[in-house]
Amino acid sequence: MSAFEQRFIFPENGWLVLQSLGDVLIQGVKQPDVLLRIPEEGMAQVQAQADRLFISAQSDVEIFVPEQAKIRLEGVTGDASVVGVLGYMEIARVNGDLAMRSCDKVDIGVVNGDVELLQVAGPIVLRRAGGDLFVESRNRVVAEQVGGDVTIRADGLVRAKAGGDLNIQLISVNVEEVHARCGGDLLITAPSGLGAQLDVNSGGFSITLRLPDQTLNLDQPHYSTTLGNGKTLLRLVAGGDVSVQLGDSILQEQKVPRKSFTADFVGGIEIPDLSPFVEDKIRQKMEHATRKAEERARRAEERVRRAMERVEQAQRQVHRRNRWFGFWYEAGKNPEDPAVPKPPEVPKAPEAPETFGTSFSQVTNEERLLVLKMLQEHKITVEEAEQLLAVLDGDLDVE
């Protein structure tokens, strides 16, 4: 990647502090100094102090540091990848994705994209991630707020909150507690010998317990029980369904796939090949975009269906009003014709609360295309299409 290299003496027991306007790759190596690679000279400013080394880059950057170095990423505009750093790792903010492998203690502030943490030996703290989270650790994992789906394979305390689905795999019976909350479905898998105090809340009114000797399927929002010695505290809250599965064979079936990091050697320095990770991220993003598009299409179909129901309801109301005149008149004629006697006024019934239509202020592209497709297939007339679009846009009162 880089055309310009520069080496710096790294202070013993010191810190590397880094800012970058591009992508960042940090590799821990068995050498005492720091190697900096950037596209061209002048793309980074370096300031050395007694106990720390400051680097501010205006481009993508590769940095090779002593593996025991302590590192703080103050801000990364692109993606960040960290491999083989055994010192304390503090990450303030990454605007893209974050991938870490074979590191020790990790403290992460905000990551706007996806986060992947593999083979982390020390405790993990993640305050906020906008995308998905994938963790493999034999220590404590705390994920305070994740916008997407979460998968955690751990051997310690787990506290996680996800906006999407949550999958937690406990690899031993020594876990002290699990506090998990998610907006989607929640799955817990653990060895058969796990003893737990179980407290479950399911917004989907579906709780499944798959134990070695029995399976319980409960259609209820809450369930609590004690399994075995009750050593592990499991507090689970999900907006969707909840499933707790105990069994060694189940755990093997749910094994988390590992990412493959191959390496090249340039000047005696090991450089990881992150192309499998990049390919997998592209695939994940494409699948995520497909799911989002399908969800938008489903919502558009639902809104159009409900709009059609409102138009039909309005037409039926007009049809009923016409019967007051004692004959049928063509839709669109003025009922105030002097030749037609006015019916007596009837007090209006209380209006039902609005559930659809005027609460929406704009027709989405998916809804507009769906209405046009129905018109093209002659399922609706031009007038009906105009009425549907008006209802969807909140401009037509169909009461």
Side-chain angles (χ1 to χ4, degrees), residues 85-124:
V85 175
L86 304 181
Y88 182 74
M89 192 80 199
E90 182 180 347
I91 300 174
R93 187 179 191 90
V94 175
N95 286 341
D97 298 334
L98 172 65
M100 301 183 69
R101 178 182 171 128
S102 301
C103 297
D104 200 352
K105 186 176 181 181
V106 178
D107 189 318
I108 304 170
V110 177
V111 178
N112 289 334
D114 299 333
V115 178
E116 184 172 67
L117 309 174
L118 299 180
Q119 300 178 7
V120 177
I124 296 172

Side-chain angles (χ1 to χ4, degrees), residues 380-398:
I380 58 176
T381 65
V382 174
E383 182 181 1
E384 289 170 337
E386 292 175 348
Q387 289 176 337
L388 281 176
L389 292 174
V391 170
L392 290 168
D393 202 34
D395 291 336
L396 179 64
D397 184 6
V398 297

